[in-house]
């Protein structure tokens, strides 16, 4: 029996790269390779300097993939509350990762049976025989934790100055997105040690929590910073329709649940309609919903035809959407790619060589690499 278990473990951990599949898009033919399978609901991914992949699984595991080999789960994570949409979520490298080895990750933290989004940092240690995390430290944990299992956010974007933007959904209680004394329904920003950046919009304001960057967000699960302009973009789930791309700016309110281009799941109207004074309009919205996952601003060298475009994964509609922007950054159209071919797509990242990395949000999830034919 022990020998059988060992053989099964080896089979799970060593997964060969599958043959590439070819596809056509409006501007360029592409190829899609499966890097590895056997991941359980993968959520976040980063490519390490030596070409390995660091990936999270929502049930509470972080792994490394190198040369098609999926490592055992890394030790050193804090206790993680797994349930509903909660668990181990995003991962990001620090701005000085090459020197420090520091990573950040988001997860659902528990307190007396109640959960909320938290951000931690740790050092990734790798040697010839093993990889693990050390000195893990939670640098942010949201207030007002609840027993609800939805809308944790929680994508991380590391800015050039080393500060961290991250998202938290409304936790299934929509009115919280309008409460400036609540971390829910917001984009937030902290420094690498968890301290408050001096230029945050509410850094010295007793009327609002100092970590808040923007409010009025339903459940942003995709976020990226345009490395050419420094502009922050986020994509969030609507209800029945009303998925939005926003450009979160300091101190601004993006409307949920006062305004929305969607409707409640019951069909009832949301708030006062699609616009109202004091609330920002989305850059783009989908109705009906596509259930957006991750977002990447494309600035790679492999697909110059897509330069500056926004790439958004779709969970329900199982596709990668290219949001076409002109030279001024104005959205002029969309293209749906890979529709229905790979299941639920959770995340998209631009690799250093300009290829794309995709995660499939499945019980037997995969890392996919999209390159030019």
């Amino acid at each position: 029996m022990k020998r059988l278990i060992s053989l099964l473990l080896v089979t799970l951990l060593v997964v060969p790269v599958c043959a590439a599949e070819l596809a056509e898009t409006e501007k360029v033919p592409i190829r899609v390779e499966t890097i590895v399978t056997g991941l359980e609901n993968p959520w976040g991914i980063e490519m390490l300097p030596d070409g390995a992949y660091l990936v999270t699984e929502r049930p509470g595991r972080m792994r490394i993939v190198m040369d098609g080999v999926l490592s055992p789960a890394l030790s050193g994570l804090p206790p993680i509350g797994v349930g509903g949409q909660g668990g181990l979520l995003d991962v990001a490298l620090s701005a000085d990762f090459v020197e420090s080895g520091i990573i950040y990750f988001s997860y659902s933290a528990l307190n007396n049976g109640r959960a909320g989004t938290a951000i931690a940092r740790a050092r990734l240690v790798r040697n010839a025989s093993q990889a693990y995390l050390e000195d893990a430290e939670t640098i942010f944990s949201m207030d007002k934790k609840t027993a609800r299992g939805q809308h944790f956010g929680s994508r991380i974007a590391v800015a050039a100055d080393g500060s961290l933007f991250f998202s938290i959904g409304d936790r299934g209680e929509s009115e919280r997105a309008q409460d400036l004394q609540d971390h829910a329904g917001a984009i937030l920003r902290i420094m690498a040690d968890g301290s408050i950046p001096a230029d945050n919009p509410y850094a010295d304001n007793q009327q609002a929590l100092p970590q808040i960057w923007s409010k009025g967000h339903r459940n942003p699960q995709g976020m990226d910073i345009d490395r050419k302009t420094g502009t922050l973009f986020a994509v969030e789930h609507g209800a029945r329709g009303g998925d939005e791309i926003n450009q979160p700016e300091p101190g601004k309110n993006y409307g949920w649940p006062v305004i929305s281009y969607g409707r409640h799941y019951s069909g009832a109207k949301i708030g006062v309609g699609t616009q109202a004074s004091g609330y920002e309009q989305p850059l783009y919205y989908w109705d009906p919903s596509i259930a957006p996952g991750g977002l990447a601003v494309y600035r790679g060298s492999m697909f110059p035809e897509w330069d500056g475009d926004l790439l958004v994964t779709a969970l329900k509609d199982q596709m990668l959407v290219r949001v076409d922007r002109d030279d001024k950054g104005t959205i002029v159209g969309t293209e749906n790619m890979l529709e229905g071919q790979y299941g639920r797509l959770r995340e998209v990242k631009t690799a250093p060589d300009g290829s794309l990395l995709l995660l499939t949000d499945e019980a037997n999830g995969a890392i996919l690499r999209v390159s030019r034919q």
Side-chain angles (χ1 to χ4, degrees):
M1 176 62 72
K2 288 183 179 179
R3 177 174 173 77
L4 176 59
I5 292 173
S6 297
L7 288 171
L8 287 173
L9 287 174
V10 169
T11 301
L12 286 173
L13 295 178
V14 182
V15 185
V17 174
C18 299
E21 297 181 348
L22 306 182
E24 294 292 330
T25 72
E26 290 179 3
K27 292 189 174 183
V28 61
I30 60 175
R31 55 187 283 133
V32 183
E33 303 166 81
T34 301
I35 300 299
V36 73
T37 60
L39 292 161
E40 186 177 0
N41 300 110
W43 217 95
I45 187 170
E46 284 281 13
M47 193 167 189
L48 301 176
D50 64 353
Y53 304 94
L54 182 65
V55 62
T56 62
E57 295 173 283
R58 185 164 47 80
R61 294 179 294 272
M62 187 179 297
R63 300 180 187 270
I64 290 175
V65 178
M66 186 71 177
D67 297 328
V69 177
L70 180 61
S71 79
L74 306 186
S75 63
L77 288 169
I80 293 171
V82 178
Q85 296 172 2
L88 181 59
L89 302 170
D90 201 17
V91 64
L93 306 183
S94 66
D96 64 347
F97 175 80
V98 173
E99 295 79 24
S100 70
I102 296 296
I103 66 168
Y104 308 102
F105 54 92
S106 59
Y107 69 102
S108 50
L110 289 176
N111 184 9
N112 296 322
R114 303 166 81 83
T117 303
I119 304 293
R121 57 179 278 158
R123 179 173 290 103
L124 175 63
V125 179
R126 298 172 67 195
N127 54 44
S129 60
Q130 61 179 329
Y132 58 93
L133 302 180
E134 69 175 12
D135 301 327
E137 172 191 9
T138 298
I139 57 175
F140 169 88
S141 188
M142 75 176 297
D143 63 354
K144 302 180 183 177
K145 296 177 174 63
T146 74
R148 288 179 174 265
Q150 69 264 49
H151 297 187
F152 290 89
S154 60
R155 199 60 67 184
I156 302 171
V158 180
D161 65 358
S163 63
L164 278 64
F165 289 93
F166 57 98
S167 61
I168 302 181
D170 65 10
R171 297 292 284 109
E173 299 169 315
S174 60
E175 69 280 0
R176 296 180 64 179
Q178 290 298 319
D179 185 353
L180 288 171
Q181 293 293 334
D182 194 330
H183 290 127
I187 305 296
L188 303 106
R189 178 174 174 246
I190 58 176
M191 298 305 294
D193 60 358
S195 61
I196 308 301
D199 58 346
N200 267 13
Y202 304 109
D204 299 315
N205 187 336
Q206 297 299 315
Q207 303 304 310
L209 296 178
Q211 298 93 348
I212 291 173
W213 182 258
S214 61
K215 284 286 281 184
H217 301 281
R218 184 173 182 269
N219 190 26
Q221 291 189 331
M223 191 163 56
D224 195 15
I225 297 172
D226 186 341
R227 69 187 191 197
K228 181 177 180 179
T229 65
T231 305
L232 178 69
F233 293 91
V235 65
E236 63 187 81
H237 291 264
R240 202 175 80 181
D243 300 336
E244 295 181 358
I245 296 175
N246 286 301
Q247 184 181 314
E249 296 183 354
K252 293 191 176 181
N253 191 313
Y254 291 82
W256 177 258
V258 181
I259 62 171
S260 173
Y261 282 89
R263 301 186 76 85
H264 289 296
Y265 294 116
S266 66
K269 179 181 177 181
I270 295 172
V272 301
T274 58
Q275 52 189 308
S277 178
Y279 302 101
E280 303 301 313
Q281 287 290 298
L283 299 180
Y284 188 83
Y285 69 91
W286 285 270
D287 185 18
S289 171
I290 64 168
L295 176 148
V297 185
Y298 190 79
R299 292 295 184 186
S301 59
M302 188 172 290
F303 300 105
E305 301 90 345
W306 298 349
D307 185 54
D309 291 348
L310 309 179
L311 301 170
V312 176
T313 57
L315 296 157
K316 177 176 71 70
D317 281 11
Q318 301 184 3
M319 62 186 176
L320 177 65
V321 182
R322 182 178 64 85
V323 180
D324 191 8
R325 296 199 298 158
D326 64 18
D327 292 341
K328 296 181 179 179
T330 302
I331 294 174
V332 294
T334 62
E335 177 189 7
N336 299 338
M337 303 185 291
L338 306 178
E339 287 186 80
Q341 296 182 43
Y342 297 97
R344 291 162 52 87
L345 296 183
R346 165 61 66 187
E347 171 64 324
V348 56
K349 274 281 177 70
T350 306
D353 67 356
S355 64
L356 301 179
L357 304 176
L358 303 176
L359 294 179
T360 68
D361 185 17
E362 306 286 352
N364 180 24
I367 300 174
L368 308 176
R369 178 178 182 266
V370 179
S371 60
R372 196 179 193 96
Q373 278 191 38

